[in-house]
């Protein structure tokens, strides 16, 4: 089960933030941000990308104002980065979701 939370914006949309296990072989966790019309649609967007077992129970870790700003300024409305508690990843930038789901390409 993923830990995370959501924030409802003044225009009625929501931003959902989830901590998920990284689908790559190196392990670890990632923080995923989704902007959608409501919580159900946000989770459906992730499920449609192949993250089938994604559920949001409660609101323990809602997105911070900086995370909300990041996802609102991205055209896809789906971002991720490794969780900042991992060593050496405190200053990592947000990336589009397709960079997480595609296999790593050597040489880039």
């Amino acid at each position: 089960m993923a830990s995370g939370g959501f924030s409802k914006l003044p225009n009625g949309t929501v931003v959902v933030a989830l901590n998920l296990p990284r689908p790559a072989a190196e392990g670890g966790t990632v923080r995923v941000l989704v902007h959608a019309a409501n919580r159900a649609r946000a989770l459906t967007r992730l499920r449609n990308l192949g993250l089938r077992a994604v559920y949001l129970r409660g609101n323990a870790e809602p997105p911070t104002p900086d995370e909300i700003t990041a996802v609102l300024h991205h055209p896809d409305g789906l971002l991720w980065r490794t969780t900042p508690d991992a060593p050496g990843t405190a200053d990592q930038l947000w990336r589009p979701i397709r960079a997480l789901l595609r296999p790593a390409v050597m040489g880039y």
Side-chain angles (χ1 to χ4, degrees), residues 40 42-56:
L43 296 175
T44 300
R45 288 185 75 186
L46 290 174
R47 290 182 188 128
N48 288 341
L49 292 171
L51 302 171
R52 298 286 181 214
V54 175
Y55 295 97
L56 180 62

Side-chain angles (χ1 to χ4, degrees), residues 70-107:
V71 76
L72 289 178
H73 284 88
H74 192 271
D76 293 339
L78 278 163
L79 297 174
W80 73 278
R81 72 173 173 188
T82 57
T83 52
D85 58 350
T89 60
D91 58 350
Q92 198 174 58
L93 298 175
W94 290 100
R95 301 178 191 171
I97 196 74
R98 62 185 166 271
L100 176 67
L101 299 176
R102 71 174 176 223
V105 177
M106 299 300 289

Side-chain angles (χ1 to χ4, degrees), residues 54-67:
V54 175
Y55 295 97
L56 180 62
R57 306 268 190 242
N59 199 15
E61 296 179 37
T64 64
D66 289 338
E67 291 175 335

